[in-house]
């Protein structure tokens, strides 16, 4: 194993970790405020891929397609919060979880009815090719994923730390009832949180569709399991822990599947990683004991 090959695999792992983080951050945001496991986030990830492909076919502009996919998925997420989760909040949280699982299944079936069961190609000619950096080869798609992820994380940090909406979200995560008593419009803040988390998930869906040149109805199924594993590994509700877990898992998957003979799929590695961490540190990487 040469150093250049190891560095190349590290770049691939960081790219994969960026995609995982797009899903897991939204899950962590929702759980941190409402204590709901928002499994349907994976359906919005798939929706982003399909909507992005549709708009790209119509406009031939990847930037427009990505923006439209994130906007439409954000609106769908806000509608899910308003008409499905909000009426269920007074009930036990298991009710919302069951509804969320049902939504994920519905998303897959709707995509299968509309687009068919076969994979659809998501090929953008302008993003073909690669860049050579020292001994590393970085494709244009890789560059878009890494740059886009960096921009989204910076904007999300600024939103949460420097704006009134971010203050309201952080306050609600600490104590939802007290935040309402202080006069903060929690319902509006939660709606915006769902819009933002859903838009981020759509970004991840578009990028995966572009990376593998494939969009298909049940593409969100495996990422749903992985997203839940990541928020547990990171520490329930910890955004930083979830991001850290995303990159650590991607590195572990890449190394184990590339350099060892462990007979596990990437999903199997994720579950093994989850079990081992729960045994060693039940509260997660950055969760509270």
């Amino acid at each position: 194993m040469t150093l250049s090959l190891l560095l190349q695999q590290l770049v691939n792992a960081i790219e994969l970790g960026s995609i995982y983080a797009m899903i897991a951050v939204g899950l962590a945001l929702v759980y941190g405020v409402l204590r709901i496991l928002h499994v349907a986030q994976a359906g919005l990830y798939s929706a982003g891929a399909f909507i992005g492909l549709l708009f790209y076919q119509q406009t031939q502009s990847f930037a427009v397609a990505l923006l439209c996919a994130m906007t439409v998925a954000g609106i769908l997420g806000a509608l899910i919060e308003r008409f499905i989760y909000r009426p269920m909040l007074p009930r036990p949280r298991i009710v919302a979880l069951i509804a969320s699982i049902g939504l994920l299944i519905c998303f897959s079936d709707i995509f299968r009815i509309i687009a068919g069961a076969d994979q659809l190609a998501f090929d953008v000619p302008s993003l073909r090719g690669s860049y050579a950096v020292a001994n590393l080869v970085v494709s244009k798609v890789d560059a878009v994923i890494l740059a886009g992820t960096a921009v989204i994380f910076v904007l999300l940090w600024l939103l949460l730390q420097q704006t009134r909406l971010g203050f309201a979200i952080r306050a609600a995560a600490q104590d939802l009832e007290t935040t309402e008593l202080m006069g903060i419009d929690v319902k509006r803040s939660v709606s915006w949180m769902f819009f933002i988390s859903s838009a981020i998930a759509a970004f991840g869906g578009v990028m995966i569709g572009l990376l593998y040149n494939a969009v298909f109805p049940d593409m969100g199924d495996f990422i749903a399991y992985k997203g839940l594993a990541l928020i547990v590994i990171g520490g329930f509700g910890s955004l930083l822990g979830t991001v850290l877990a995303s990159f650590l898992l991607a590195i572990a998957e890449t190394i184990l599947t590339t350099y060892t003979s462990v007979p596990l799929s990437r999903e199997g590695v994720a579950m093994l990683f989850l079990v081992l961490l729960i045994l060693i540190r039940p509260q997660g990487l950055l969760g509270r004991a």
Side-chain angles (χ1 to χ4, degrees), residues 1-288:
M1 179 176 63
T2 64
L3 178 60
S4 61
L5 180 58
L6 179 60
L7 291 175
Q8 185 69 59
Q9 292 299 332
L10 182 60
V11 170
N12 296 338
I14 292 173
E15 175 189 33
L16 187 62
S18 299
I19 301 297
Y20 290 167
M22 293 296 99
I23 302 299
V25 162
L27 287 170
L29 273 173
V30 173
Y31 183 85
V33 174
L34 298 181
R35 301 299 186 264
I36 289 175
L37 292 173
H38 179 38
V39 180
Q41 179 89 335
L44 294 167
Y45 156 92
S46 300
F50 277 99
I51 295 168
L53 176 58
L54 173 64
F55 276 99
Y56 178 73
Q57 290 173 340
Q58 297 299 317
T59 66
Q60 295 300 305
S61 170
F62 178 71
V64 171
L66 179 60
L67 182 60
C68 290
M70 294 177 69
T71 302
V72 175
I75 294 172
L76 285 174
L79 291 174
I80 288 172
E81 183 277 326
R82 174 62 184 85
F83 294 105
I84 296 178
Y85 288 148
R86 192 179 298 180
M88 294 180 179
L89 288 180
R91 301 180 182 181
R93 291 298 183 260
I94 187 65
V95 176
L97 173 59
I98 293 172
S100 189
I101 295 172
L103 274 174
L104 175 60
I105 296 171
C106 286
F107 271 121
S108 297
D109 286 343
I110 289 171
F111 299 146
R112 188 173 292 106
I113 292 170
I114 294 175
D118 297 330
Q119 291 186 357
L120 302 177
F122 197 159
D123 182 34
V124 179
S126 61
L127 294 179
R128 295 173 185 167
S130 59
Y131 304 104
V133 182
N135 291 326
L136 299 178
V137 177
V138 180
S139 71
K140 290 184 178 180
V141 174
D142 295 342
V144 170
I145 293 174
L146 296 174
T149 301
V151 170
I152 285 176
F153 281 157
V154 169
L155 292 178
L156 183 61
W157 182 87
L158 291 173
L159 173 72
L160 292 176
Q161 300 296 327
Q162 305 296 327
T163 67
R164 294 181 64 182
L165 175 60
F167 172 79
I169 292 173
R170 287 186 288 115
Q174 292 294 323
D175 193 316
L176 191 64
E177 290 76 15
T178 301
T179 303
E180 288 182 315
L181 292 174
M182 293 174 63
I184 295 175
D185 191 345
V186 172
K187 292 180 180 179
R188 174 178 172 274
S189 301
V190 169
S191 292
W192 274 109
M193 180 189 69
F194 268 83
F195 178 90
I196 293 166
S197 64
S198 301
I200 293 174
F203 174 87
V206 171
M207 292 299 111
I208 279 290
L210 187 64
L211 179 64
Y212 295 116
N213 192 23
V215 176
F216 50 95
D218 56 354
M219 63 185 291
D221 291 358
F222 287 127
I223 204 71
Y225 312 140
K226 204 163 288 188
L228 291 177
L230 287 170
I231 64 171
V232 175
I233 294 170
F236 280 107
S238 172
L239 292 184
L240 183 58
T242 300
V243 173
L244 178 61
S246 298
F247 287 104
L248 288 177
L249 177 59
I251 292 171
E253 286 183 4
T254 301
I255 292 176
L256 288 177
T257 57
T258 304
Y259 297 110
T260 70
S261 56
V262 175
L264 290 175
S265 65
R266 288 184 177 272
E267 287 69 35
V269 173
M271 294 303 110
L272 177 62
F273 197 39
L274 171 62
V275 171
L276 291 176
L277 186 76
I278 289 177
L279 290 173
I280 298 171
R281 188 176 172 81
Q283 70 269 33
L285 293 175
L286 299 182
R288 298 178 181 178

